[in-house]
Each structure stands twice: as structure tokens, then as C-alpha cells.
């Protein structure tokens, strides 16, 4: 192979390398419910000392609308897309009552389930449809997806290939992650905590960095405030 061909090949490899970042576009909890989630999480540590979720100190309570790997250079485009569709998001989100229901323990996760409704589904669908063009292409299929029964397995694989996430559209399952623990018995721990249903109106949508075990670390890339509960419709973007 000539030096010219080698150089062209190296250039091609460099050009095709995509810098990727995992971002979570999510619903933020109102201050009261946010503190309730933190308090529950802190109490869980008493009964599940190996829980690896630390709400309030290392991560924030949230309800994911869209979680995937994006092309890092496209972050300004993602922020702009959310800004452009925010009038629609605000109209649906400002009066969207969010009902926290029961606890679901799946594998090592303890999740406080949210009753899905028309407005939450709309928020997730709109965010996904507006931003999936900026995802990192050819994302890998998680091992757990291959263990699913058909036709669910093929449905989730198709979603990952197109949207970079198995949990969008009819697979959207809103929740707040309260625990991840592969040592302690989470069923016993949650029975001790006795989490109660509650409801609230979200103050905002956020775009943030992710941590381990389904956590979100911040709203670093944007906070988009709904025009409700005397909130001003301000958009803070970094």
C-alpha cells in the first residue's frame, strides 16, 4: 500500500471517529417531591447500606424523557431544538400532573413508578422526535435486551438502532430511580421505608450529564422552566 493510500486511510478513520456523550433529557421534580425522594433514598441506605444511588449529594431525582448517547459536537443543536419546541413542551408540561405510585424492584434497581399519561408521553415523544437526529450512530445493544422474549426483543433492538434507546414511544416507562444494590435485599428495604404515593407539577425540563446506575448528575446543559406555579418561563443554557 502506497504512502498516499495509507494517509487517506488514516484520514478516513479520524474523520469517522465520533466524539460521544451520554445525556439525559428529563423532567425535574418540584422542590417538595424532590426532597421527599432524597429523604426516601437516605432512609433506604439504613436498610440497604450497599445502595449505590445517592440522591441530593451525588445525583438529582429526575424522570427521564430521553436517555441516549449524542454526538458531543451537536450539543448546541440539541439545546437549540429544545428551545425551538419549548412552547409546545411548556403548553403540555405546565399543567401535567405527575403521579408517583408504587415501587418496582427489577434486577438491582428500585424504582418509584410514575403513572404514564397523555402529557408525559407527549413530552417524551416530542423530545425524542426532535433530537434523535443528533444521536451517536450504531449504538451497541445491551446484553439484557437479547434476553427478552419476542416480539419485545426485536422491538427494542429496532428502537436502539434508530433512536439509541430501548425505552421510547410505547416502551416509555417513567420512573424515579431510588436505589441500585446488588448485595442487599431491596424488597425488604423498601418494605421498611414504606413509600407513599404522591403527585406534583414539574417546574422544568433539564438536560444533564449522567452517572452510573441510571443516575443524572445535574442540569448542566440546560434548564427550561415551565410557565406554572408562578415560575417565569426562563431558559438557562450553558
Amino acid at each position: 500500500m502506497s504512502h498516499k493510500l495509507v494517509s487517506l486511510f488514516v484520514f478516513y478513520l479520524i474523520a469517522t471517529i465520533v466524539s460521544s456523550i451520554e445525556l439525559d433529557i428529563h423532567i425535574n421534580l418540584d422542590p417538595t417531591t424532590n426532597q421527599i425522594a432524597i429523604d426516601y433514598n437516605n432512609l433506604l441506605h439504613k436498610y440497604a447500606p450497599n445502595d449505590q444511588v445517592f440522591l441530593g449529594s451525588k445525583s438529582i431525582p429526575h424522570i427521564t424523557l430521553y436517555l441516549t448517547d449524542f454526538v458531543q459536537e451537536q450539543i448546541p443543536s440539541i439545546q437549540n431544538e429544545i428551545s425551538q419546541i419549548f412552547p409546545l413542551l411548556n403548553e403540555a408540561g405546565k399543567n401535567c400532573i405527575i403521579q408517583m405510585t408504587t415501587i418496582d424492584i427489577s434486577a438491582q434497581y428500585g424504582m418509584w413508578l410514575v403513572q404514564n399519561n397523555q402529557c408525559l408521553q407527549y413530552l417524551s415523544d416530542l423530545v425524542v422526535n426532535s433530537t434523535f437526529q443528533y444521536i451517536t450512530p450504531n449504538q451497541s445493544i445491551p446484553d439484557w435486551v437479547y434476553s427478552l422474549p419476542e416480539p419485545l426483543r426485536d422491538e427494542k433492538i429496532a428502537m436502539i438502532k434508530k433512536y439509541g434507546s430501548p425505552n421510547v414511544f410505547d416502551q416509555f416507562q417513567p420512573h424515579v430511580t431510588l436505589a441500585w444494590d446488588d448485595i442487599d435485599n431491596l424488597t425488604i428495604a423498601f418494605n421498611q421505608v414504606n413509600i407513599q404515593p404522591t403527585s406534583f407539577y414539574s417546574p422544568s425540563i433539564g438536560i444533564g450529564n449522567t452517572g452510573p446506575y441510571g443516575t443524572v448528575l445535574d442540569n448542566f446543559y440546560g434548564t427550561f422552566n415551565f410557565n406554572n406555579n408562578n415560575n417565569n418561563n426562563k431558559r438557562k443554557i450553558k
Side-chain angles (χ1 to χ4, degrees):
M1 184 180 292
S2 68
H3 291 298
K4 184 176 181 180
L5 287 176
V6 171
S7 298
L8 288 173
F9 181 69
V10 171
F11 176 80
Y12 173 79
L13 288 178
I14 293 173
T16 56
I17 293 174
V18 175
S19 179
S20 183
I21 182 171
E22 186 177 67
L23 296 178
D24 192 291
I25 305 175
H26 53 269
I27 289 285
N28 289 307
L29 279 57
D30 76 307
T32 299
T33 313
N34 191 76
Q35 189 59 53
I36 290 172
I38 292 172
D39 291 343
Y40 280 147
N41 174 247
N42 287 335
L43 186 56
L44 277 167
H45 292 159
K46 176 181 178 181
Y47 303 104
N50 295 288
D51 176 22
Q52 297 300 303
V53 175
F54 301 92
L55 297 179
S57 59
K58 294 184 178 181
S59 60
I60 61 173
H62 69 283
I63 300 169
T64 294
L65 296 173
Y66 190 25
L67 167 64
T68 189
D69 290 348
F70 289 98
V71 176
Q72 189 161 12
E73 291 77 12
Q74 295 292 348
I75 290 177
S77 299
I78 297 164
Q79 294 169 321
N80 182 63
E81 288 289 345
I82 298 299
S83 292
Q84 291 297 315
I85 64 172
F86 190 73
L88 296 175
L89 295 172
N90 179 67
E91 191 63 30
K94 65 182 182 180
N95 296 316
C96 186
I97 187 165
I98 298 174
Q99 296 178 311
M100 311 298 300
T101 60
T102 58
I103 294 298
D104 177 54
I105 297 171
S106 178
Q108 292 81 32
Y109 286 93
M111 297 173 287
W112 196 2
L113 298 183
V114 177
Q115 181 176 321
N116 198 8
N117 56 30
Q118 185 175 359
C119 53
L120 275 177
Q121 187 70 56
Y122 175 81
L123 292 174
S124 178
D125 292 352
L126 182 57
V127 166
V128 173
N129 280 321
S130 300
T131 60
F132 83 92
Q133 61 186 306
Y134 305 114
I135 70 169
T136 304
N138 304 315
Q139 296 188 34
S140 60
I141 309 297
D143 290 340
W144 63 267
V145 173
Y146 289 110
S147 66
L148 296 173
E150 295 292 2
L152 182 60
R153 177 173 61 192
D154 283 349
E155 291 173 1
K156 285 190 175 290
I157 289 174
M159 286 181 174
I160 294 169
K161 288 181 177 179
K162 184 171 183 178
Y163 302 105
S165 170
N167 299 318
V168 294
F169 301 114
D170 63 343
Q171 299 297 318
F172 175 57
Q173 298 173 313
H175 63 273
V176 174
T177 299
L178 293 180
W180 187 95
D181 192 328
D182 62 351
I183 297 176
D184 302 306
N185 188 318
L186 285 180
T187 300
I188 294 175
F190 275 96
N191 285 340
Q192 294 294 324
V193 174
N194 190 27
I195 291 172
Q196 297 297 308
T198 189
S199 61
F200 68 97
Y201 292 97
S202 169
S204 60
I205 286 176
I207 308 174
N209 293 294
T210 63
Y213 314 118
T215 58
V216 170
L217 306 181
D218 49 45
N219 290 303
F220 183 79
Y221 296 103
T223 301
F224 301 79
N225 292 321
F226 294 132
N227 186 21
N228 64 2
N229 299 327
N230 298 315
N231 287 328
N232 293 320
N233 184 11
K234 297 178 180 177
R235 306 167 196 176
K236 300 177 182 177
I237 299 177
K238 295 185 179 180

